[in-house]
Coordinates of all heavy atoms in Angstrom, one line a residue:
L68 N 2.0 -1.4 3.0 CA 2.2 -1.3 1.6 C 1.9 0.1 1.2 O 0.8 0.6 1.4 CB 1.3 -2.3 0.9 CG 1.6 -2.5 -0.6 CD1 2.9 -3.3 -0.8 CD2 0.4 -3.3 -1.3
I70 N 1.5 2.8 -1.8 CA 1.2 2.8 -3.2 C 1.2 4.3 -3.7 O 0.4 5.1 -3.1 CB -0.2 2.2 -3.5 CG1 -0.3 0.8 -2.9 CG2 -0.5 2.2 -5.0 CD1 -1.7 0.2 -2.9
L76 N -4.7 1.6 -12.0 CA -5.5 0.6 -11.3 C -5.2 -0.8 -11.9 O -5.4 -1.8 -11.3 CB -7.0 0.9 -11.5 CG -7.4 2.2 -10.8 CD1 -8.8 2.6 -11.2 CD2 -7.3 2.1 -9.3
L79 N -2.7 -2.6 -10.0 CA -3.2 -3.1 -8.7 C -4.1 -4.3 -8.9 O -4.0 -5.3 -8.0 CB -4.1 -2.0 -8.0 CG -3.3 -0.7 -7.7 CD1 -4.2 0.3 -7.0 CD2 -2.1 -1.0 -6.8
E80 N -4.8 -4.4 -9.9 CA -5.7 -5.6 -10.1 C -4.8 -6.8 -10.5 O -5.3 -7.9 -10.4 CB -6.8 -5.4 -11.1 CG -6.3 -5.2 -12.6 CD -7.5 -5.1 -13.5 OE1 -8.4 -5.9 -13.5 OE2 -7.4 -4.2 -14.4
L85 N -1.4 -7.7 -3.3 CA -2.8 -7.2 -3.1 C -3.8 -8.4 -3.3 O -4.7 -8.5 -2.5 CB -3.1 -6.2 -4.2 CG -3.4 -4.8 -3.7 CD1 -2.2 -4.2 -3.0 CD2 -3.8 -3.9 -4.9
Y89 N -4.6 -8.0 0.4 CA -5.5 -6.9 0.4 C -6.6 -7.0 -0.6 O -6.7 -6.2 -1.6 CB -4.7 -5.6 0.2 CG -3.6 -5.3 1.2 CD1 -2.3 -5.6 0.9 CD2 -3.9 -4.8 2.4 CE1 -1.3 -5.4 1.8 CE2 -2.9 -4.5 3.3 CZ -1.6 -4.8 3.0 OH -0.6 -4.6 3.9
S90 N -7.4 -8.1 -0.5 CA -8.3 -8.4 -1.6 C -9.4 -7.4 -1.8 O -9.9 -7.3 -2.9 CB -8.9 -9.8 -1.4 OG -9.2 -10.1 -0.1
A91 N -9.7 -6.6 -0.8 CA -10.8 -5.6 -1.0 C -10.3 -4.6 -2.1 O -11.0 -4.3 -3.1 CB -11.1 -4.8 0.3
L92 N -9.1 -4.1 -2.0 CA -8.6 -3.1 -2.9 C -8.3 -3.8 -4.3 O -8.6 -3.2 -5.3 CB -7.3 -2.4 -2.4 CG -6.7 -1.4 -3.4 CD1 -7.7 -0.3 -3.7 CD2 -5.4 -0.8 -2.9
H93 N -7.8 -5.0 -4.2 CA -7.5 -5.8 -5.4 C -8.8 -5.9 -6.3 O -8.8 -5.6 -7.5 CB -7.0 -7.1 -5.0 CG -6.7 -8.0 -6.2 ND1 -7.5 -9.1 -6.4 CD2 -5.8 -8.0 -7.1 CE1 -7.0 -9.7 -7.5 NE2 -6.0 -9.1 -7.9
R94 N -9.9 -6.2 -5.6 CA -11.1 -6.5 -6.3 C -11.8 -5.1 -6.8 O -12.3 -5.0 -7.9 CB -12.1 -7.2 -5.4 CG -13.0 -8.1 -6.2 CD -14.1 -8.7 -5.4 NE -13.6 -9.8 -4.5 CZ -14.3 -10.3 -3.5 NH1 -15.6 -9.9 -3.4 NH2 -13.8 -11.3 -2.8
A95 N -11.7 -4.1 -5.9 CA -12.3 -2.8 -6.2 C -11.6 -2.2 -7.4 O -12.3 -1.7 -8.3 CB -12.2 -1.9 -5.0
S96 N -10.3 -2.3 -7.5 CA -9.5 -1.8 -8.6 C -10.0 -2.4 -9.9 O -10.1 -1.7 -11.0 CB -8.0 -2.1 -8.5 OG -7.6 -1.6 -7.3
G97 N -10.3 -3.7 -9.9 CA -10.7 -4.4 -11.1 C -12.1 -4.1 -11.6 O -12.5 -4.5 -12.7
H98 N -12.8 -3.4 -10.7 CA -14.2 -3.1 -11.1 C -14.3 -1.8 -11.9 O -15.4 -1.5 -12.5 CB -15.1 -3.0 -9.9 CG -15.7 -4.3 -9.4 ND1 -16.5 -5.0 -10.2 CD2 -15.5 -5.0 -8.3 CE1 -16.9 -6.1 -9.6 NE2 -16.3 -6.2 -8.4
L110 N -4.8 5.2 -8.9 CA -5.5 5.1 -7.6 C -5.7 6.5 -7.0 O -6.7 6.8 -6.4 CB -4.6 4.2 -6.7 CG -5.2 4.0 -5.3 CD1 -6.5 3.3 -5.4 CD2 -4.2 3.2 -4.4
N113 N -8.7 8.0 -8.4 CA -9.9 7.4 -7.9 C -10.3 7.8 -6.5 O -11.4 8.0 -6.1 CB -9.8 5.8 -8.0 CG -11.1 5.1 -8.0 OD1 -11.5 4.5 -7.0 ND2 -11.9 5.2 -9.0
V114 N -9.2 8.0 -5.7 CA -9.4 8.5 -4.3 C -9.9 10.0 -4.3 O -10.6 10.4 -3.4 CB -8.1 8.3 -3.5 CG1 -8.1 9.1 -2.2 CG2 -7.9 6.8 -3.3
D160 N -14.9 3.3 -6.7 CA -14.9 1.9 -6.2 C -13.9 1.7 -5.1 O -14.1 1.0 -4.2 CB -14.5 1.0 -7.4 CG -15.8 0.6 -8.2 OD1 -16.6 -0.1 -7.6 OD2 -15.9 1.0 -9.3
T161 N -12.7 2.4 -5.2 CA -11.7 2.0 -4.2 C -11.9 2.6 -2.8 O -11.4 2.1 -1.8 CB -10.3 2.4 -4.7 OG1 -10.2 3.8 -4.8 CG2 -10.0 1.7 -6.0
I162 N -12.6 3.7 -2.7 CA -12.7 4.4 -1.4 C -13.3 3.5 -0.3 O -12.6 3.4 0.8 CB -13.5 5.8 -1.5 CG1 -12.7 6.7 -2.4 CG2 -13.7 6.4 -0.1 CD1 -13.4 8.0 -2.8
A164 N -13.3 0.3 -0.1 CA -12.3 -0.8 0.1 C -11.2 -0.2 1.0 O -10.7 -0.9 2.0 CB -11.8 -1.3 -1.2
L165 N -10.7 1.0 0.7 CA -9.5 1.5 1.4 C -10.0 1.9 2.9 O -9.2 1.7 3.8 CB -9.0 2.8 0.7 CG -8.3 2.5 -0.6 CD1 -8.1 3.8 -1.4 CD2 -7.0 1.8 -0.3
M168 N -10.0 -1.2 5.0 CA -8.7 -1.6 5.4 C -7.9 -0.6 6.2 O -6.7 -0.8 6.4 CB -7.9 -2.0 4.1 CG -8.5 -3.3 3.5 SD -7.5 -3.8 2.1 CE -7.7 -2.4 1.1
I208 N -0.9 6.3 -0.9 CA -1.9 5.6 -0.1 C -1.2 4.5 0.6 O -0.5 3.7 0.0 CB -3.0 5.0 -1.0 CG1 -3.8 6.2 -1.8 CG2 -4.1 4.2 -0.2 CD1 -3.2 6.6 -3.1
L210 N -1.4 1.1 3.0 CA -2.3 0.1 3.5 C -1.5 -0.5 4.7 O -0.3 -0.9 4.5 CB -2.5 -1.0 2.5 CG -3.2 -0.6 1.2 CD1 -3.2 -1.8 0.2 CD2 -4.6 -0.1 1.5
S219 N -10.3 -9.2 4.0 CA -11.1 -8.1 3.5 C -11.8 -8.5 2.2 O -11.4 -9.4 1.5 CB -10.1 -6.9 3.2 OG -9.3 -7.1 2.2
A220 N -12.8 -7.7 1.9 CA -13.6 -8.0 0.7 C -14.2 -6.8 0.2 O -14.4 -5.8 0.9 CB -14.7 -9.1 1.0
Y221 N -14.6 -6.8 -1.1 CA -15.3 -5.7 -1.7 C -16.4 -6.2 -2.6 O -16.3 -7.1 -3.4 CB -14.3 -4.9 -2.6 CG -15.0 -3.7 -3.3 CD1 -15.3 -2.6 -2.7 CD2 -15.3 -3.9 -4.7 CE1 -16.0 -1.5 -3.4 CE2 -15.9 -2.8 -5.4 CZ -16.3 -1.7 -4.7 OH -16.9 -0.7 -5.4

Side-chain angles (χ1 to χ4, degrees):
L68 194 70
I70 305 172
L76 297 172
L79 301 180
E80 69 175 312
L85 243 62
Y89 300 101
S90 41
L92 180 60
H93 177 251
R94 213 186 287 172
S96 304
H98 273 298
L110 183 59
N113 201 251
V114 164
D160 273 292
T161 64
I162 294 171
L165 291 167
M168 289 184 302
I208 295 92
L210 301 175
S219 69
Y221 175 76

